[in-house]
Amino acid sequence: MSRLTWVKDFIVKELYAPYEVEKDEDYYKDLRKKYKLLLDTAEKAGADVESLKIIKKYSDKVKESIRLYYDGSISKAHNVVRRLVKGCEEDALAVNTIINSDAFPGVKGTEIQFFRARLSDDAKAFKAKEMLHLPLSMRGKTGNYRFSIPGIPSLYLGNSSYACWIELGCPPEYKFNVAPVVLEGNQKIFNLAVMSRCWWQLDELEEAKVHCWLKLLILMMATSYTVKESGRLFKSEYIVSQSIMLACKELGYDGVAYFSKRVNDEIFAYAAINLALFTPYQSNKKYSTVCDHIKIDDSFNYFMYKQLGAIYRNCRYNLRLDSTGIITNIGEYRVSRQFKYTFTDFYEFDKFLFASWNEKDEIEWGNALK
């Protein structure tokens, strides 16, 4: 029996992400408590010495980076996080191509369906080019988000239309416009779509993979907070995630995959996995080179879709989510409030968007720019 079987007992409800605190000042204090609970839980479960060392080192370093940032030593804070990210890169669990990443459930090597959404007041269809990131001429409108900073945007995609819907704040159906997206798949991404109760994914509890999982888990925890306090210009919960984004870019990765922080619990996020692709501007190009490796269709309005008859709505398309044994429920813990994603209109909408994209296989990569 593996000496790493302790992870099978590594389930503590207080560690289930995402986390919510009232005020910005509560973020660091709560994260410290979470890290202490993580270490105490591992010790009680009989974790091996190396695992305990990793938990202590990575949690201490994350806390150090936040303190350095608060003290104004921003470059030092970033360098601390960069070393932590680099310390994960030897394992494919952490860094892999999109199509083979453990971040996305299903048969590796098969097409992953992504979705990009925009809101409008008149149920309009946006052209494919309008669904890309902001062009260089609109750089001044780029904002401050979890995995992007002003002036250096990311292209945010979801692995379902539902993921896009909750990320946009659950808008009315008539405002919700979604475009299907496929990527070449060879882009390298950093995987933060991990959770404390996914030990069963760790390839027969192989030691190196468990240790990598612990590193990713600690980084994930620091990036999984929402703060209820309104009117803030500064967001403590973005310190580590934005440093991870910059570190990944410096290390030659193309993006970060992570569970949506708008779900009730991470266990309901397998149908709400986000991908933030880095889109640095180049002075002589209107769009980032990431757009050269994307195929994207015009958007379709969700309300319009729901007005179609069954003959149009009931489409056949093999989605990546169909090939996984993972339960892709959405909702909350109450059994009566849990729903299989495959029984929702969002799932049918996902299939419709790809089934109706007739020219997908014939068009060239970067079609929106042509």
Side-chain angles (χ1 to χ4, degrees):
M1 182 179 293
S2 169
R3 65 191 179 91
L4 293 169
T5 52
W6 62 270
V7 297
K8 291 188 176 183
D9 299 319
F10 200 63
I11 298 179
V12 178
K13 187 174 182 180
E14 289 77 11
L15 296 177
Y16 298 169
Y19 316 119
E20 184 178 82
V21 293
E22 291 292 329
K23 295 185 176 181
D24 191 274
E25 64 181 358
D26 298 329
Y27 165 73
Y28 181 68
K29 293 183 289 186
D30 193 79
L31 182 62
R32 287 177 56 191
K33 292 178 182 177
K34 291 283 193 303
Y35 282 160
K36 184 178 186 305
L37 177 60
L38 179 70
L39 182 61
D40 291 345
T41 300
E43 289 176 338
K44 291 177 182 177
D48 59 287
V49 173
E50 183 61 24
S51 292
L52 295 176
K53 285 182 179 178
I54 288 171
I55 293 172
K56 191 167 192 321
K57 174 185 174 181
Y58 264 67
S59 58
D60 284 348
K61 287 297 181 181
V62 169
K63 290 183 291 186
E64 178 187 350
S65 72
I66 297 170
R67 291 195 302 270
L68 285 168
Y69 194 103
Y70 284 160
D71 290 341
S73 301
I74 296 175
S75 62
K76 289 182 179 179
H78 168 66
N79 286 333
V80 170
V81 174
R82 187 183 186 279
R83 287 191 290 270
L84 296 180
V85 171
K86 188 171 177 56
C88 302
E89 67 179 358
E90 295 301 319
D91 198 298
L93 176 65
V95 181
N96 208 334
T97 58
I98 292 174
I99 204 165
N100 290 309
S101 174
D102 287 284
F104 302 104
V107 178
K108 292 181 180 179
T110 60
E111 177 188 274
I112 306 175
Q113 296 78 33
F114 290 103
F115 303 85
R116 171 85 169 160
R118 284 191 64 182
L119 301 181
S120 69
D121 289 327
D122 55 1
K124 67 175 288 186
F126 292 97
K127 293 296 183 182
K129 194 169 187 176
E130 296 178 282
M131 300 301 287
L132 299 175
H133 65 79
L134 289 173
L136 179 61
S137 60
M138 299 179 70
R139 186 177 199 163
K141 292 187 176 182
T142 58
N144 182 39
Y145 300 104
R146 197 173 298 271
F147 287 100
S148 55
I149 59 178
I152 306 178
S154 290
L155 180 66
Y156 287 90
L157 305 173
N159 74 329
S160 69
S161 57
Y162 167 73
C164 297
W165 184 67
I166 60 176
E167 288 297 329
L168 289 175
C170 305
E173 294 177 355
Y174 75 91
K175 291 187 176 184
F176 188 49
N177 305 281
V178 187
V181 180
V182 289
L183 306 174
E184 273 191 286
N186 58 357
Q187 298 98 326
K188 288 172 61 177
I189 61 169
F190 191 66
N191 175 24
L192 284 180
V194 296
M195 63 178 73
S196 62
R197 53 196 186 289
C198 66
W199 54 265
W200 46 270
Q201 290 180 293
L202 302 177
D203 289 348
E204 298 180 356
L205 306 181
E206 179 185 323
E207 182 175 282
K209 193 168 290 289
V210 171
H211 291 161
C212 180
W213 166 67
L214 286 170
K215 296 174 182 179
L216 296 174
L217 184 68
I218 291 164
L219 293 173
M220 178 278 291
M221 291 171 64
T223 64
S224 295
Y225 277 81
T226 57
V227 179
K228 295 171 68 175
E229 182 180 358
S230 61
R232 292 178 302 141
L233 298 178
F234 170 69
K235 297 187 176 183
S236 289
E237 71 272 26
Y238 287 1
I239 292 174
V240 177
S241 59
Q242 291 179 347
S243 279
I244 289 174
M245 181 271 287
L246 292 171
C248 287
K249 184 177 177 298
E250 291 168 8
L251 293 169
Y253 311 155
D254 299 293
V256 175
Y258 62 99
F259 290 132
S260 172
K261 310 310 173 188
R262 293 180 177 267
V263 294
N264 178 268
D265 183 281
E266 60 193 8
I267 200 65
F268 301 118
Y270 284 115
I273 302 172
N274 295 328
L275 176 63
L277 289 174
F278 311 142
T279 58
Y281 294 117
Q282 296 180 338
S283 58
N284 61 338
K285 296 193 69 171
K286 188 174 183 180
Y287 290 92
S288 167
T289 55
V290 72
C291 299
D292 296 328
H293 306 282
I294 288 175
K295 292 182 183 183
I296 185 169
D297 197 11
D298 299 340
S299 74
F300 201 89
N301 182 265
Y302 185 57
F303 181 78
M304 178 62 185
Y305 162 75
K306 294 186 74 173
Q307 309 316 304
L308 301 178
I311 191 172
Y312 297 111
R313 293 180 59 187
N314 296 333
C315 299
R316 291 182 178 273
Y317 196 89
N318 294 324
L319 300 177
R320 176 77 169 250
L321 279 174
D322 293 330
S323 64
T324 174
I326 295 174
I327 297 174
T328 52
N329 286 0
I330 61 175
E332 57 186 65
Y333 273 116
R334 290 167 54 188
V335 175
S336 62
R337 296 290 176 87
Q338 289 188 36
F339 312 99
K340 290 180 66 67
Y341 184 67
T342 52
F343 291 173
T344 67
D345 282 340
F346 288 112
Y347 172 76
E348 297 299 333
F349 187 42
D350 295 349
K351 292 194 295 181
F352 168 82
L353 289 171
F354 274 88
S356 62
W357 191 9
N358 298 323
E359 72 278 17
K360 173 173 68 71
D361 295 330
E362 285 71 43
I363 60 178
E364 298 179 3
W365 295 106
N367 69 300
L369 299 178
K370 294 179 171 60

